[in-house]
Every structure is written in C-alpha cells, then in structure tokens.
Amino acid sequence: MATFGDVKIKLEEQPESEGDTEDTEDDDDGMIKGRCYVPPGCPNKEQNNFGDEFESHFVVPHRLGNQPGELVEAVNDFHYAMINDRPRNEFYRECLRRAIVPGQSIVLEIGTGSGLLAMLAARLGAKRVVAIEASPHMAALARRNINANNLDGTITILEALSTELDADDIRKALGVSTRREVSISAQTSSDSKPFTSDLPDVLVSELFGTLLLGESALEYLKDARERLPRPP
C-alpha cells in the first residue's frame, strides 16, 4: 500500500494493466514490427506467465504465477517506483490543477496503470474522468484502487488500447448519447453546442519509458489528440 496525499494505491495484488498477423515481436522492447509499443499484459500480446519462468521446485504465489511475466516485472520494477516518486507526482498534480476547472472539466487519461493520475484528477474536482488501460490485469487493479478511494462515480475505466477507441467510445463511457439530431436553419441558436462539446477537454498521460520515448508516447498521444478529446 502506498499513499500520495489523500489517494491510496495498492499494488500487491497487481496483476489484476496491441493482433494475429505475421508481424514479429521484439522481446526486448515490446515493439511489434510496423506498430507502436505494446504495453505489458495486453491480451493479444504473446507472453509467458510469470510462474512458467521458474523450475518446479520454486514456490510461486498463485496470485503471481498465472499473470504475464512481463507485467509482473513492470509492476515491480517501475510502478512501485513511480507511485513513490513524490516530485513526479507533485508535478503531475500541479499540471492537472492548472488545467482542471472544478465541476466542469472532463479528463481523459491514456494508460492509467494503477489509476493514480485519474484519481488525482478526480480529487482536483474533475466532473468526469475516463481512464484508458490496455492491460485487463492493470485495469482491474485500477478499479480496485478507485473503489478504495470512493471515486467510482467519477472515474470510468476503458480496457483497450487508445488506438482501438473512437470518440463515440468515450461518449459511451461518459453516458452521453452518440446520436445527434441536426436541424438546418437560417439562424443558429446562440446556445447551440458543437458535436464535440461533450468530449474531454483535458488530456493527460504518462507513457514515458526509461528511454523517454521508447514506449511510443509521441505516436499514442498524437493519435489520441487528433481523435478523442474536444478540439482546442
């Protein structure tokens, strides 16, 4: 259990976080030839269970043994460190504080992991938060953390790669109708809103790897900015 301000994070049950082609995967960096970096734990990513990496005489906890080995290593090597990196977390909280209008802003997070940034956004007064997480294991963990912090009513988790979603998927997560009735008139009402006005107006993500851009942060964020949030 770790805490940051009034947000509680639990990782010890972690392993509850892009298809069939002839592409080849590089085990060293998670890249699939011709595609962006694929996060640990994605269901369509070929990987061995953590328990398979040990000989039979080793005792591996059941909660870890059936989880993707790459995901367990990522949580142990990086997630604990990030959650306990107070300057990093203070930096993101201050950035979110500057961007969020309490009671009005809708926040979209790409790659929520443990759910920390989504919960910070909710604590800062975001009206709604949609957090995208490609790994079902990490998504389940984020939901438990969100529930433990009583933020279920504010944050919605979407299990998918952001590149697999579109604006209507975000609307559905927000409980907004994807249908619009359009009337043609010589005069436009002064209070009419564009079709994109119900989309998130704040986008946050922490996809930076040890080598900064090695996890395709630029590619994922460029794609998300162009399709998912409200245009500037």
Side-chain angles (χ1 to χ4, degrees):
M1 175 73 73
T3 61
F4 178 71
D6 56 356
V7 172
K8 298 177 292 184
I9 302 289
K10 190 173 184 180
L11 280 177
E12 61 220 28
E13 298 179 24
Q14 79 269 8
E16 287 222 57
S17 169
E18 269 164 324
D20 292 338
T21 68
E22 295 180 0
D23 293 337
T24 58
E25 182 180 336
D26 184 335
D27 293 334
D28 292 332
D29 60 10
M31 295 294 289
I32 288 183
K33 186 178 180 180
R35 301 185 183 185
C36 292
Y37 171 85
V38 183
C42 287
N44 292 332
K45 183 177 183 180
E46 184 177 348
Q47 51 204 319
N48 295 324
N49 287 339
F50 183 68
D52 296 338
E53 302 177 7
F54 297 87
E55 297 179 5
S56 59
H57 57 271
F58 284 95
V59 177
V60 179
H62 179 71
R63 64 185 177 83
L64 298 178
N66 294 326
Q67 309 300 339
E70 184 184 10
L71 178 62
V72 175
E73 292 175 2
V75 170
N76 290 336
D77 293 346
F78 304 113
H79 282 268
Y80 278 110
M82 289 190 296
I83 288 172
N84 289 282
D85 187 343
R86 185 164 293 274
R88 164 194 179 271
N89 299 335
E90 290 285 4
F91 171 81
Y92 273 96
R93 177 157 63 180
E94 177 60 18
C95 290
L96 286 168
R97 186 191 66 78
R98 296 181 184 185
I100 291 172
V101 178
Q104 298 183 34
S105 292
I106 300 174
V107 178
L108 175 66
E109 184 189 4
I110 309 297
T112 196
S114 65
L116 176 59
L117 297 186
M119 291 187 286
L120 290 179
R123 292 288 197 211
L124 288 167
K127 181 180 179 181
R128 291 293 304 276
V129 180
V130 176
I132 298 173
E133 174 53 53
S135 166
H137 309 284
M138 291 303 296
L141 173 63
R143 289 191 181 97
R144 289 200 293 273
N145 285 328
I146 290 165
N147 177 265
N149 286 275
N150 300 313
L151 294 171
D152 309 70
T154 303
I155 304 172
T156 300
I157 301 290
L158 290 181
E159 283 184 34
L161 286 167
S162 59
T163 52
E164 298 173 342
L165 301 173
D166 59 27
D168 278 347
D169 293 314
I170 305 302
R171 291 187 176 96
K172 291 174 184 176
L174 293 169
V176 176
S177 173
T178 59
R179 296 185 58 187
R180 288 293 186 277
E181 294 182 2
V182 179
S183 60
I184 305 299
S185 172
Q187 295 182 337
T188 302
S189 172
S190 60
D191 62 353
S192 63
K193 296 181 180 180
F195 184 37
T196 57
S197 64
D198 50 14
L199 291 173
D201 57 312
V202 176
L203 173 63
V204 63
S205 182
E206 209 283 49
L207 297 177
F208 303 114
T210 304
L211 300 178
L212 189 61
L213 301 179
E215 297 184 5
S216 304
L218 294 182
E219 289 80 2
Y220 280 118
L221 289 176
K222 179 178 184 295
D223 172 75
R225 287 183 62 186
E226 292 174 349
R227 301 185 306 106
L228 303 179
R230 190 182 311 175

